[in-house]
Amino acid sequence: MNELISLDDAKALIGKVRRWHHKFEIIPGLVTPGSYDPQDLWNKLRIDNRVSGQRVLDIGASDGFFTLRAAEKGGEVTAVDFRSKDRHGFGVMETLTGRSFAYEHANIFDLDTERLGQFGIVLFLGVLYHLPDMMRAFHKLRALCSGTLFLETHCDNSPSPDFAMARYYKGDSLAGDITNFWSPNRLCVVDMLSDAGFDVVREEVWGDRMFAEARVSDDPERAYKMGVAYGRIYTRN
């Protein structure tokens, strides 16, 4: 906590943010006016005792709840968002907590994997369905992840659960938001992760949402398939 900032000044800073997504206690006694409480999802991650000493990548960091929590648990966190820090609450979170994070103002497809290196834990929460090319995103994630990927997404399980499929949303037909493109079903998510080089070890579906914990695989057949798909051919064993 930044002890040089009074509670009234902290409230004023929070009020300057046009829209908060994350609703959380940003400093003791002060809760942000977000539309979504991310604490339940943090609990689903079960990483309180797994973060310390790890490089953590938080893709789609938004107002910084998950970035902050991972840092409080001892992680070395890099945050990614397609908006700059000051276009949402992330910058205010840094100011009020007295913390400073490595921050990539970038689309996931533009992340420089060679410069960033790999991360033991990657958080990919509430992002997948906003992306027009889901497989390309998973391919990028595999290059960035050396350990475990945690994913949460909108998930349409109204079709048959026996077939991997995804529903496409034209314009703003999903929740009035033009950034929503896809709603894959559970099996589609699991199969895409598999082809991209991840093995799902834990999953949960509730309503129209899905959570999965997946670990990296070095299966050369899967690497070859992604190499064919994205123009980099790997040698088969």
Side-chain angles (χ1 to χ4, degrees):
M1 176 178 175
N2 189 338
E3 297 180 354
L4 299 178
I5 299 177
S6 69
L7 184 59
D8 286 342
D9 287 342
K11 290 179 179 178
L13 283 173
I14 288 174
K16 290 181 179 179
V17 177
R18 181 177 175 182
R19 178 182 177 273
W20 286 85
H21 177 53
H22 292 156
K23 181 179 181 179
F24 65 108
E25 189 174 49
I26 193 166
I27 57 174
L30 186 57
V31 177
T32 61
S35 58
Y36 163 63
D37 185 346
Q39 184 61 48
D40 285 346
L41 182 53
W42 175 265
N43 294 340
K44 288 183 188 298
L45 299 182
R46 303 178 191 170
I47 60 174
D48 290 62
N49 299 320
R50 298 167 60 181
V51 174
S52 183
Q54 292 273 7
R55 296 190 74 217
V56 179
L57 185 64
D58 182 11
I59 299 178
S62 189
D63 303 315
F65 169 83
F66 294 96
T67 298
L68 179 61
R69 289 291 176 269
E72 290 173 340
K73 299 299 181 181
E76 178 189 338
V77 190
T78 296
V80 178
D81 204 277
F82 76 105
R83 298 165 295 180
S84 66
K85 288 182 180 183
D86 298 327
R87 292 294 299 274
H88 51 148
F90 196 97
V92 170
M93 179 276 290
E94 286 186 313
T95 298
L96 295 184
T97 61
R99 294 177 178 266
S100 180
F101 295 96
Y103 189 92
E104 297 287 323
H105 176 199
N107 186 296
I108 182 176
F109 302 122
D110 297 325
L111 293 176
D112 185 338
T113 55
E114 291 189 4
R115 177 176 59 82
L116 291 172
Q118 290 193 311
F119 297 80
I121 292 176
V122 175
L123 306 180
F124 190 58
L125 310 173
V127 178
L128 181 64
Y129 57 100
H130 292 293
L131 303 176
D133 189 339
M134 293 188 288
M135 279 307 302
R136 185 182 172 201
F138 282 137
H139 182 53
K140 176 72 75 167
L141 288 168
R142 181 60 186 86
L144 290 163
C145 186
S146 62
T148 306
L149 170 69
F150 294 90
L151 172 147
E152 189 271 344
T153 183
H154 191 276
C155 181
D156 185 355
N157 288 300
S158 56
S160 170
D162 299 325
F163 298 92
M165 58 184 66
R167 178 180 177 181
Y168 182 79
Y169 286 90
K170 177 183 177 182
D172 64 354
S173 56
L174 177 58
D177 186 347
I178 63 168
T179 72
N180 291 330
F181 287 88
W182 293 100
S183 184
N185 69 359
R186 183 203 68 83
L187 187 56
C188 184
V189 173
V190 171
D191 285 355
M192 287 191 295
L193 282 168
S194 178
D195 270 357
F198 291 97
D199 293 321
V200 174
V201 297
R202 182 166 58 98
E203 59 178 281
E204 180 181 349
V205 174
W206 65 101
D208 60 3
R209 310 298 295 193
M210 175 184 179
F211 165 80
E213 175 182 345
R215 294 176 187 162
V216 298
S217 167
D218 293 322
D219 180 357
E221 289 298 317
R222 291 187 251 177
Y224 184 81
K225 181 171 183 175
M226 290 296 96
V228 171
Y230 294 103
R232 186 177 179 184
I233 306 301
Y234 296 85
T235 302
R236 290 175 182 266
N237 288 340

